[in-house]
C-alpha cells in the first residue's frame, strides 16, 4: 500500500498498519517509494499505444481470434506472466503484464518482439509509424 506523508489520513492509516506488522509474528518489508526518473521510466507514448493496439487487431484477424484473446495470448507468449502475492491468502498467483503499465522502453521492446515474431512465425506484417503500409493499416483498423 502507498501512503502520502502529507495526508493526515494516510499517516494514521500507515501508523495503524505498521503497528499491526510490528506486533505480528511474520517478517515484513518496509520500502520507500522513490521518484522515477521520467526520462527513463516515462509511460508509453500515445503513438506506441495506438500502434500496438492496431497490431493486436490486425494479428487477431490474421489468426482468427478476438482482440482480447489475441492481446492476452501474445503477451503471454512473448512476456510470460509475472508472480504476485495474494495479500489475503499469502499464496503466489500469476498475472498478465499490462501494456498500460509499461514504460516507453518496455513497450518498445515488446513491440519489437511482437513485430518480428508475427512476421517470422505467421507471415503477418505489422508496420511501425512511418513504415510502408502504416497509414493503410490505420485507416482499416482504427475503428474496430
Amino acid at each position: 500500500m502507498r501512503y502520502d506523508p502529507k495526508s493526515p489520513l494516510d499517516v494514521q492509516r500507515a501508523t495503524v498498519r505498521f503497528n499491526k506488522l510490528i506486533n505480528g509474528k511474520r517478517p515484513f518489508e518496509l520500502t520507500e517509494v522513490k521518484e522515477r526518473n521520467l526520462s527513463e521510466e516515462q509511460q508509453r507514448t500515445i503513438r506506441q499505444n495506438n500502434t500496438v493496439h492496431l497490431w493486436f487487431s490486425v494479428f487477431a484477424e490474421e489468426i482468427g481470434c478476438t482482440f482480447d484473446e489475441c492481446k492476452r495470448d501474445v503477451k503471454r507468449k512473448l512476456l510470460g506472466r509475472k508472480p504476485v502475492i495474494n495479500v489475503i491468502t499469502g499464496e503466489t498467483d500469476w498475472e498478465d503484464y499490462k501494456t498500460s503499465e509499461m514504460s516507453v522502453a518496455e513497450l518498445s521492446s515488446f513491440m519489437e518482439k511482437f513485430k518480428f515474431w508475427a512476421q517470422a512465425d505467421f507471415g503477418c506484417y505489422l508496420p511501425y509509424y512511418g513504415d510502408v503500409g502504416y497509414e493503410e493499416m490505420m485507416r482499416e483498423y482504427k475503428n474496430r
Side-chain angles (χ1 to χ4, degrees):
M1 180 105 190
R2 188 176 286 214
Y3 302 98
D4 181 355
K6 296 177 204 107
S7 164
L9 177 59
D10 274 3
V11 169
Q12 186 60 37
R13 291 172 56 216
T15 303
V16 169
R17 179 73 178 143
F18 181 73
N19 287 333
K20 180 184 182 316
L21 292 171
I22 61 172
N23 292 318
K25 295 182 177 144
R26 296 183 4 206
F28 63 93
E29 184 175 310
L30 186 65
T31 59
E32 177 182 4
V33 176
K34 297 184 179 163
E35 289 187 32
R36 292 181 173 187
N37 180 346
L38 290 179
S39 63
E40 294 174 12
E41 297 287 331
Q42 181 183 13
Q43 288 298 101
R44 77 217 189 287
T45 66
I46 291 172
R47 178 168 287 150
Q48 276 183 312
N49 186 60
N50 290 344
T51 301
V52 78
H53 283 89
L54 283 172
W55 287 5
F56 287 132
S57 293
V58 170
F59 196 65
E61 185 175 284
E62 180 74 23
I63 64 172
C65 66
T66 67
F67 174 87
D68 289 332
E69 291 168 337
C70 177
K71 187 174 179 182
R72 179 197 64 214
D73 294 345
V74 168
K75 288 188 298 181
R76 285 182 182 175
K77 168 69 177 166
L78 300 177
L79 302 173
R81 299 177 85 196
K82 60 183 173 181
V84 292
I85 304 298
N86 182 313
V87 296
I88 295 173
T89 65
E91 296 175 357
T92 300
D93 289 334
W94 296 91
E95 77 177 21
D96 293 322
Y97 286 89
K98 297 177 178 121
T99 58
S100 62
E101 295 174 356
M102 292 181 181
S103 68
V104 169
E106 290 167 335
L107 189 53
S108 179
S109 175
F110 169 69
M111 289 174 71
E112 188 172 311
K113 290 176 188 174
F114 185 10
K115 179 180 178 72
F116 290 123
W117 173 73
Q119 190 161 335
D121 288 13
F122 294 88
C124 181
Y125 175 62
L126 301 172
Y128 283 113
Y129 175 79
D131 287 352
V132 173
Y134 181 85
E135 294 303 323
E136 291 87 345
M137 178 185 70
M138 177 67 89
R139 281 192 298 275
E140 187 173 342
Y141 288 92
K142 73 178 178 181
N143 294 320
R144 290 188 183 197

